[in-house]
Amino acid sequence: MIRIIILCLGVALIAFIAWWFFGKHNFATENASVNSNKQSVDIVVKGGYSPEKVILERGIPATLNFKRTDSSSCLDHVIFSDFGINQKLPQGKTEPIKIDTSKPGEYEWACSMNMFHGKVIVK
Ligand SMILES: [Cu+2]
């Protein structure tokens, strides 16, 4: 009986892990919504970043709207080292961050402890 319970828990755990990774990959990348010379992407900060990869168009002023719903202090700052940005993210509020899109390339962001990461791709 105990063996069956352990087996069931094991299967449930594997299913959960598979779902977790599948879900993340499924929602990982998002293109900015562009309208009248502006582009923006909303990013939810909760146990990481969603989406964690953002594609922006070159030369159009861009804003990333970070909304932190996670209470952990780990995620209370977001750092774009390429742009010299170190922005506090107040919990429950949307914090707009302007991104320089003048040069194409890939720019990473991270939490203050460099544990969680995301990436901006300027095309
Ligand atoms: Cu962290």
Side-chain angles (χ1 to χ4, degrees):
M1 191 60 193
I2 291 219
R3 276 187 184 185
I4 292 167
I5 291 169
I6 289 170
L7 187 69
C8 285
L9 286 175
V11 169
L13 187 65
I14 289 164
F16 174 75
I17 290 167
W19 168 82
W20 179 262
F21 279 99
F22 178 75
K24 277 210 154 175
H25 284 294
N26 209 15
F27 299 105
T29 306
E30 189 167 315
N31 287 277
S33 53
V34 183
N35 74 71
S36 66
N37 208 33
K38 263 191 228 162
Q39 57 185 334
S40 66
V41 177
D42 296 337
I43 297 166
V44 175
V45 182
K46 191 186 179 193
Y49 302 99
S50 178
E52 57 189 5
K53 207 192 267 179
V54 166
I55 297 170
L56 302 176
E57 281 187 35
R58 180 162 67 127
I60 298 173
T63 308
L64 300 183
N65 299 309
F66 282 85
K67 187 171 186 189
R68 179 166 74 96
T69 56
D70 197 310
S71 61
S72 80
S73 62
C74 167
L75 289 156
D76 68 357
H77 278 74
V78 65
I79 295 161
F80 289 81
S81 52
D82 297 304
F83 302 122
I85 295 169
N86 183 345
Q87 179 68 51
K88 193 173 198 303
L89 303 175
Q91 193 183 350
K93 286 192 184 149
T94 300
E95 194 66 30
I97 297 178
K98 297 223 183 306
I99 300 295
D100 178 3
T101 58
S102 57
K103 285 190 200 127
E106 298 194 355
Y107 308 99
E108 295 213 352
W109 77 74
C111 74
S112 54
M113 292 158 210
N114 206 23
M115 288 154 57
F116 294 101
H117 302 94
K119 195 190 269 181
V120 169
I121 299 168
V122 178
K123 283 187 176 171

